[in-house]
């Protein structure tokens, strides 16, 4: 039992250090996900693919490859007339990382009366955050049955971006109702 607790804490620590975070997953209740056998991707060229490229030259194809890998691990086969449609949405946003000042950042006391110090947010760096949304849609009913959302900082290094995509999609699909085979 003690070893289980230690291993669990180590895994939790590794997961907490991950640069990718799964924002949310949701599913439609009372849907039998094992009844579906095939999948394919909806055309996403009209979506925000240009924003995801992030200067690295990578498109949505890496996301599709990662999602396809996870779907096929769960026994789904790609087909032209699928049971499930997979829709991928991508958004990127410029963000500013800040830190809060501490009393050590305050100017030294120089004898003025009623001196006080207030904490404030100081900008540290700017970065781009990418958010990928994967919707799984029942093709016959045209109804979304599962959704996963993951986010991560997007850098200029293409190999790290591919690594984060694979890691994010794997973490997202870890919460999918059908386990890998």
């Amino acid at each position: 039992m003690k070893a289980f607790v230690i291993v669990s804490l180590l895994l939790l620590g590794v997961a907490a250090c991950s640069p990718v975070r799964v924002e949310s997953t949701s599913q439609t209740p009372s849907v039998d996900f094992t009844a579906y056998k095939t999948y394919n991707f909806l055309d996403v060229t009209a979506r925000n693919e240009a924003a995801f490229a992030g200067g690295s030259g990578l498109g949505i194809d890496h996301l599709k490859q990662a999602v396809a890998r996870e779907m096929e691990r769960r026994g789904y086969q790609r087909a032209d007339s699928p049971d499930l449609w997979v829709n991928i949405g991508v958004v990127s946003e410029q963000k500013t990382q800040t830190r809060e000042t501490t009393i050590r950042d305050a100017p030294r006391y120089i004898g003025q009366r009623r001196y006080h110090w207030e904490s404030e947010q100081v900008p540290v760096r700017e970065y781009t955050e990418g958010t990928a949304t994967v919707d799984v849609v029942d093709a016959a009913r045209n109804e979304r049955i599962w959704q996963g959302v993951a986010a991560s900082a997007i850098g200029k290094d293409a190999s790290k971006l591919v690594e984060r995509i694979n890691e994010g999609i794997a973490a997202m699909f870890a919460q999918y109702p059908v386990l890998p085979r």
Side-chain angles (χ1 to χ4, degrees), residues 136-159:
V136 177
V137 178
D138 182 312
R141 297 183 311 193
N142 199 26
E143 179 181 312
R144 183 181 75 198
I145 59 172
W146 187 82
Q147 180 183 61
V149 180
S152 177
I154 298 174
K156 302 277 187 222
D157 186 355
S159 64

Side-chain angles (χ1 to χ4, degrees), residues 61-135:
D61 291 335
H62 292 286
L63 270 171
K64 283 184 176 181
Q65 290 170 6
V67 171
R69 185 171 39 255
E70 292 299 324
M71 293 294 281
E72 289 167 8
R73 285 184 62 210
R74 285 157 177 78
Y76 299 113
Q77 299 296 316
R78 200 161 180 174
D80 291 332
S81 297
D83 300 329
L84 297 172
W85 285 110
V86 177
N87 188 29
I88 299 173
V90 177
V91 176
S92 66
E93 179 181 4
Q94 284 296 120
K95 292 195 169 190
T96 302
Q97 180 183 6
T98 62
R99 71 171 179 84
E100 191 171 340
T101 58
T102 65
I103 193 68
R104 288 179 281 166
D105 297 324
R108 303 221 183 270
Y109 177 73
I110 56 175
Q112 300 169 340
R113 297 180 192 250
R114 296 186 186 167
Y115 173 80
H116 76 282
W117 172 83
E118 291 181 5
S119 175
E120 61 181 17
Q121 295 294 321
V122 177
V124 176
R125 71 178 180 105
E126 291 199 5
Y127 64 98
T128 304
E129 181 177 80
T131 303
T133 303
V134 176
D135 294 320

